[in-house]
Amino acid sequence: MKLTELAHEILFPHLLFGDCAVDMTAGNGLDTLFLSKLVGESGHIFSFDIQKAAIEQTNKLMSENQQISNYRLIHSCHTKIEEKIPHSFFQKIKAITFNLGYLPTSNKTIITTPQSTRYAVEKSYEWMAHDGVMTILAYRGHAGGADETETITDWANRVPVHHEMITGNNSPESPVLFVIKKSERFN
Ligand SMILES: C[S@@+](CC[C@H](N)C(=O)[O-])C[C@H]1O[C@@H](n2cnc3c(N)ncnc32)[C@H](O)[C@@H]1O
């Protein structure tokens, strides 16, 4: 199974109709669509991307495949969670997903970076519900990808979070899926 599919499998049991979830890297919109279908008409999805092309692509995918409008596409860096998501959702977000790196069909130099990813992951953890989950799919094969993965590992090892790291295969360049839950010590 691909790690993108595994991420969906992990997120799935955490989401019910009416819940709130966040896609931190909209890209082509596949994760946004997946989350939007799970939370139904009464749910709320917030979906970030710094690229206009990604927001447009996600908007197109959603308009073609989702009849209801339970999502907000945010053309902004995902570090802006506190400014862009209403505070009423603080610690009510049941699922947060990051699929890092670049948009495969677009400019490969527009990429997530260790510093902003770390900040966004930290803020996401604060905003996540106590019974929520966060998945982070990190790629080590491109320039900067290994550093970014190391940064997330470092954060997860230093703070009291429950985390699991699943690698695609044994290659040091294979992608890594982080699954993060709140630790009771943090609550
Ligand atoms: C691998 S793609 C995401 C794939 C997507 N989840 C999907 O289902 O198609 C990574 C995306 O992260 C976006 N990105 C890069 N830096 C970002 C940032 N600081 N904030 C938000 N999005 C960012 C890129 O523009 C790109 O579209």
Side-chain angles (χ1 to χ4, degrees), residues 23-32 48-51 54 76-79 99-104 110-113 116 139:
D23 180 357
M24 285 294 182
T25 50
N28 288 319
L30 298 171
D31 295 323
T32 297
F48 287 83
D49 208 291
I50 47 169
Q51 282 195 77
S76 166
C77 176
H78 46 215
T79 52
N99 185 347
L100 301 174
Y102 50 80
L103 188 59
I110 304 176
I111 197 161
T112 55
T113 62
S116 56
Y139 300 89

Side-chain angles (χ1 to χ4, degrees), residues 67-80:
Q67 308 303 318
I68 54 174
S69 178
N70 61 0
Y71 56 93
R72 195 181 302 171
L73 306 183
I74 304 169
H75 183 199
S76 166
C77 176
H78 46 215
T79 52
K80 305 284 183 199

